[in-house]
Amino acid sequence: MKVGIVGAGMVGSAAGYALALTGTVSRVVLVDLDAALARAQAEDIAHAVPFASSTVIEHGDYPALAGASVVILAAGVGQKPGETRLALLARNAAVFREVTARVLEHAPDAILLVASNPVDVMTQITTRLTGLPPERVIGSGTILDTARFRSLLGRHLGISPRSVHAYVLGEHGDSEVLAWSSARAGSAPLASFAAQVGAPITGHVRDAIDDGVRNAAYTIIAGKGATWYGIGAGLSRIVRAIAQDQNAVLSVSIATQDVLGVRDVALSLPRIVGAAGVTAHLMPDLADDEAAALMKSAQLLKDTADAVCL
């Protein structure tokens, strides 16, 4: 399978690197307004491939995306000093209008995988701009937040994060909801498993994990300016689910008809992801406070997306 990546910065290149090392797809093409950057990233990643896989890494312009089954959108503009969030979104919407038109000109059947932030709103905007069915416009959403949640729970419990089944819902951002009430470890409810291994989920533990998930990005940004490895691996995971038609359950964002009474909003829920994109979504059993928080997150995202002039 061929995958295109538009935007060869740190996120786009990290996704390309993860795809190359895992050998998930046969070919990756990097496209960027800065052609020299796209070429440099492609060549650098290509030099790592012999150690891990046989994936072909290339660079090019939009015509090089022809035949791509998935195109990762990691392009966008940075916020100017004093610029409002809505003004930034309007400028990014203008960028995406041009980018998506050119992508679909050459890869009309591709699934679009949105990585640019704020990812939920950009997913909603991309769906509206392209007119594609929502299942073909997938935002990376809370896939990284979910990984952080599982990592911290696994560390506390002394088990592999891959044995933890827990999700972060709603916005990839400050209003996200950690679904504690539906979390499980192995085959047991989280609280039961924690008690059995002598690592109870106290209020202090819960607060620390909540803070660790919500503020992970801020901590990383303070230390090195941006995050890219985690989201690069997350994007690679979503592509693998599509490439191998896994019907995997992943916390990704798509425009959703109704979420707890909030209509037409892009946010993250556990979704079934396979070759056709998203084929279904699941609503976890939630405590009353979690449901209220998810509804609030949904309304915030809807209001923001609706305020952007397209």
Side-chain angles (χ1 to χ4, degrees), residues 8 28-30 37-47 57-60:
V28 176
V29 179
L30 292 172
L37 175 63
R39 177 176 180 175
Q41 298 282 35
E43 291 191 1
D44 195 13
I45 296 170
H47 298 159
I57 309 294
E58 303 171 313
H59 70 281

Side-chain angles (χ1 to χ4, degrees), residues 247-264:
N247 288 331
V249 179
L250 303 172
S251 56
V252 294
S253 181
I254 68 167
T256 307
Q257 186 175 6
D258 185 277
V259 179
L260 300 177
V262 181
R263 299 189 62 81
D264 188 27

Side-chain angles (χ1 to χ4, degrees), residues 72-281:
I72 297 172
L73 303 177
V77 295
Q79 193 165 13
K80 297 177 179 178
E83 185 176 35
T84 66
R85 189 168 183 248
L86 281 178
L88 173 63
L89 279 168
R91 288 201 298 128
N92 265 322
V95 170
F96 265 55
R97 182 185 297 278
E98 178 180 354
V99 166
T100 55
R102 298 195 68 186
V103 167
L104 293 176
E105 177 185 357
H106 299 287
D109 298 323
I111 292 171
L112 303 184
L113 181 48
V114 181
S116 302
N117 278 320
V119 68
D120 303 291
V121 178
M122 292 309 301
T123 300
Q124 185 89 54
I125 288 171
T126 302
T127 305
R128 292 174 179 173
L129 286 173
T130 61
L132 292 174
E135 61 268 20
R136 284 183 53 198
V137 182
I138 306 172
S140 56
T142 59
I143 194 162
L144 178 54
D145 310 88
T146 290
R148 290 165 175 161
F149 190 20
R150 294 177 180 182
S151 176
L152 291 173
L153 282 171
R155 187 181 304 173
H156 173 71
L157 298 171
I159 62 173
S160 166
R162 300 183 74 172
S163 295
V164 177
H165 311 288
Y167 293 92
V168 178
L169 315 175
E171 180 191 16
H172 171 56
D174 293 340
S175 72
E176 65 189 22
V177 180
L178 280 64
W180 287 94
S181 60
S182 61
R184 302 181 74 84
S187 61
L190 179 63
S192 173
F193 186 98
Q196 291 182 58
V197 299
I201 306 293
T202 64
H204 174 74
V205 168
R206 182 165 168 157
D207 288 347
I209 290 176
D210 187 282
D211 181 72
V213 173
R214 291 182 188 280
N215 294 313
Y218 297 120
T219 301
I220 294 168
I221 290 168
K224 69 175 193 175
T227 68
W228 55 81
Y229 293 126
I231 189 55
L235 291 165
S236 176
R237 177 66 187 93
I238 298 168
V239 171
R240 186 165 82 251
I242 297 168
Q244 299 177 0
D245 195 19
Q246 291 181 339
N247 288 331
V249 179
L250 303 172
S251 56
V252 294
S253 181
I254 68 167
T256 307
Q257 186 175 6
D258 185 277
V259 179
L260 300 177
V262 181
R263 299 189 62 81
D264 188 27
V265 59
L267 49 61
S268 285
L269 292 171
R271 318 269 186 180
I272 299 175
V273 183
V278 172
T279 58
H281 72 260

